[in-house]
Amino acid sequence: MARVKSSTVALALVLLLMTLVGDCYGALEFGYYKKRCTKVDAEAVVFSVVKKHFNEDKDTVADLIRLQFHDCFVRGCDASILLEGQGTEKTAPPNLSVRGFEIVEEAKVALDRRCPGIVSCADIIILAARDATFLGGASWYKVETGRKDGRISKASEALQLLPKPSIPVPQAVKLFAQHGLNTEDFVYLLGCHTVGTSHCDNFQDRLYNFHNTGKPDPAMSGGLLKSLKKTCPRNTVSNNETFLDQTKGSEFVMDNGFFKKIMKGEGILEVDQQLAIHPLTKDIVRRAAEDNRVFTTKIGPAMRKLALVGVNTNGEVRLGTCKKVR
């Protein structure tokens, strides 16, 4: 999950959140489309599309979870990340590696054939992320629907508001709290790094020049350091990547492998490793590492809370495509 800068960003975030307060998600409800889209089961259509892609590519789990996070943390859960064009969120550096757009688009096209202009792209993102979380091994959870789609999408906002891999834990906790997410939610949402990968440029400083010390991050285990130096050689720009969960055999599974690894100094991103060390989060990490059911049952409620960030229920629904507004 990407990166953030302090005072300017905090101010920008406060101003943004002020535009999102009010009747944010009062009109949302479980099963919203059952009485509005009677010719087809909208949630079943989304699940079918996600499952097809999951069967073809297990990265689908990480892709769709990350897509929800990157959408909801900028302007709320309004599908603004899907809009194409110069200077849109999709073009911001933190979003260049975001995937899953074609899955949402496929579901939108399928739904609009039977129920045109009713199911929002914003809801499809939330439903698809829920389905991917479940297919990856977490417990099923219900989500409210009824979101509308946003018309504004700015790369500058994505660059400012998405947290960086090196964000300090206390600052991250405050950032998540401003979105209505508590410390446990923060830990479990970062626990989604039990699936997915990260490129060298997100952690290369930890290998060679941690916080300008000229040395590696002392919190990283020697074995992982040696391995990552082979993947990401010094003074090179590399497109190489590595799994965020170093547990062999469970890189695509929503389990507690990530928590076990960061307790051994085998976190890839700085913020991930700090979760296991910082007093605000280390006890939550320990409990999740000791019992797989903690993460698999609590990630759903955390994802549901994330899906309620800055919801727009008074806007429009894009017709035929999620890539542009009418």
Side-chain angles (χ1 to χ4, degrees):
M1 294 180 190
R3 314 181 196 168
V4 144
K5 272 180 185 162
S6 41
S7 57
T8 11
V9 173
L11 176 60
L13 180 62
V14 168
L15 293 174
L16 176 65
L17 290 177
M18 286 173 65
T19 70
L20 299 176
V21 296
D23 183 19
C24 281
Y25 48 87
L28 294 186
E29 57 186 88
F30 295 111
Y32 177 87
Y33 293 110
K34 287 183 178 179
K35 51 192 175 188
R36 294 170 175 84
C37 201
T38 56
K39 293 182 179 180
V40 63
D41 184 338
E43 295 196 19
V45 170
V46 176
F47 185 86
S48 176
V49 172
V50 172
K51 188 174 182 180
K52 183 192 80 171
H53 283 270
F54 171 78
N55 289 338
E56 295 169 354
D57 183 2
K58 296 300 183 286
D59 271 331
T60 296
V61 177
D63 292 343
L64 292 174
I65 291 173
R66 189 164 182 246
L67 180 61
Q68 175 180 325
F69 180 87
H70 280 238
D71 182 48
C72 293
F73 252 57
V74 182
R75 293 199 161 267
C77 308
D78 67 347
S80 54
I81 194 174
L82 303 180
L83 294 176
E84 295 185 343
Q86 186 175 4
T88 59
E89 289 173 35
K90 190 182 286 190
T91 68
N95 287 333
L96 295 179
S97 59
V98 174
R99 301 288 182 265
F101 301 111
E102 76 288 352
I103 301 175
V104 176
E105 186 72 7
E106 184 177 330
K108 175 63 172 172
V109 170
L111 285 165
D112 273 10
R113 285 198 198 105
R114 302 282 300 278
C115 196
I118 301 298
V119 184
S120 70
C121 300
D123 275 342
I124 294 173
I125 290 176
I126 301 306
L127 292 169
R130 184 272 306 276
D131 299 341
T133 301
F134 171 71
L135 290 169
S139 299
W140 180 262
Y141 60 98
K142 294 173 65 178
V143 292
E144 298 93 333
T145 44
R147 295 164 189 79
K148 298 299 187 288
D149 299 321
R151 298 182 63 92
I152 299 172
S153 183
K154 297 181 180 180
S156 58
E157 291 181 346
L159 187 60
Q160 284 184 326
L161 298 172
L162 289 167
K164 297 183 179 182
S166 57
I167 184 172
V169 166
Q171 186 178 330
V173 168
K174 289 180 181 177
L175 176 62
F176 277 66
Q178 287 171 316
H179 286 297
L181 300 159
N182 63 32
T183 305
E184 284 201 353
D185 298 325
F186 161 61
V187 173
Y188 298 135
L189 287 168
L190 258 68
C192 291
H193 286 172
T194 197
V195 293
T197 59
S198 183
H199 289 91
C200 292
D201 61 350
N202 288 320
F203 57 85
Q204 198 155 9
D205 61 321
R206 296 188 67 208
L207 311 181
Y208 304 105
N209 189 26
F210 183 62
H211 290 190
N212 295 316
T213 61
K215 299 177 181 180
D217 184 348
M220 183 179 289
S221 75
L224 180 61
L225 177 63
K226 183 177 179 180
S227 172
L228 291 181
K229 282 185 173 180
K230 293 177 182 178
T231 304
C232 309
R234 184 194 292 267
N235 299 326
T236 61
V237 177
S238 173
N239 287 324
N240 291 347
E241 57 186 9
T242 190
F243 288 110
L244 287 166
D245 179 3
Q246 292 288 300
T247 309
K248 300 233 181 273
S250 75
E251 298 93 342
F252 302 104
V253 181
M254 293 289 286
D255 61 12
N256 67 344
F258 166 82
F259 295 104
K260 291 179 178 179
K261 285 297 184 181
I262 64 174
M263 288 191 69
K264 296 178 180 178
E266 296 183 24
I268 301 300
L269 304 180
E270 181 179 347
V271 66
D272 289 351
Q273 188 54 63
Q274 288 301 311
L275 286 181
I277 299 170
H278 199 279
L280 286 172
T281 53
K282 64 180 183 179
D283 289 340
I284 304 171
V285 169
R286 177 183 52 77
R287 289 194 295 271
E290 290 173 351
D291 185 349
N292 187 51
R293 293 170 298 177
V294 170
F295 176 65
T296 58
T297 58
K298 292 195 175 184
I299 183 53
M303 289 286 288
R304 175 179 168 256
K305 284 177 69 174
L306 174 63
L308 297 176
V309 171
V311 168
N312 175 12
T313 57
N314 298 310
E316 66 178 18
V317 174
R318 295 172 205 161
L319 181 61
T321 179
C322 290
K323 299 178 182 179
K324 57 185 178 181
V325 295
R326 287 173 283 179

